[in-house]
Amino acid sequence: MALVIALLEDRPAYLFDEWAADQDPFYRDRFYYEILPALRATGKLCITVTHDEAYFHCCDRRFEVSRGVPREMPPTPPPASAPVR
């Protein structure tokens, strides 16, 4: 419900903190492969916090935070099993 409300508010930026963590695989894929790209395509800034390495390749830029210090990481190639979009 929080995602629907956020989308209806049509903000310029969104922060998703482990949003897909408790979703089943179908909805987790929809979030990373459909919802986030659709938001980015409309010029929205999406900051997505996740520990799920299977989706690191979906980001434009990836940061790792260790002991409170953010560090930009190199791009992650998609796994062979990632859907082609």
Side-chain angles (χ1 to χ4, degrees):
M1 195 64 182
L3 177 61
V4 172
I5 291 169
L7 296 175
L8 289 173
E9 290 178 345
D10 194 31
R11 304 288 175 120
Y14 297 91
L15 172 62
F16 299 106
D17 186 3
E18 294 289 354
W19 187 88
D22 292 329
Q23 303 295 325
D24 64 41
F26 174 79
Y27 287 107
R28 191 175 306 131
D29 278 356
R30 287 201 66 186
F31 177 71
Y32 285 105
Y33 294 122
E34 295 177 29
I35 294 171
L36 288 179
L39 287 170
R40 286 195 309 253
T42 62
K44 306 295 185 187
L45 170 65
C46 298
I47 299 171
T48 306
V49 177
T50 184
H51 291 91
D52 195 339
E53 294 178 16
Y55 296 97
F56 283 179
H57 68 281
C58 294
C59 64
D60 296 325
R61 294 174 69 190
R62 182 169 70 94
F63 292 85
E64 182 178 284
V65 179
S66 177
R67 298 181 184 205
V69 178
R71 178 174 55 127
E72 188 161 7
M73 304 302 290
T76 303
S81 61
V84 176
R85 306 262 180 205

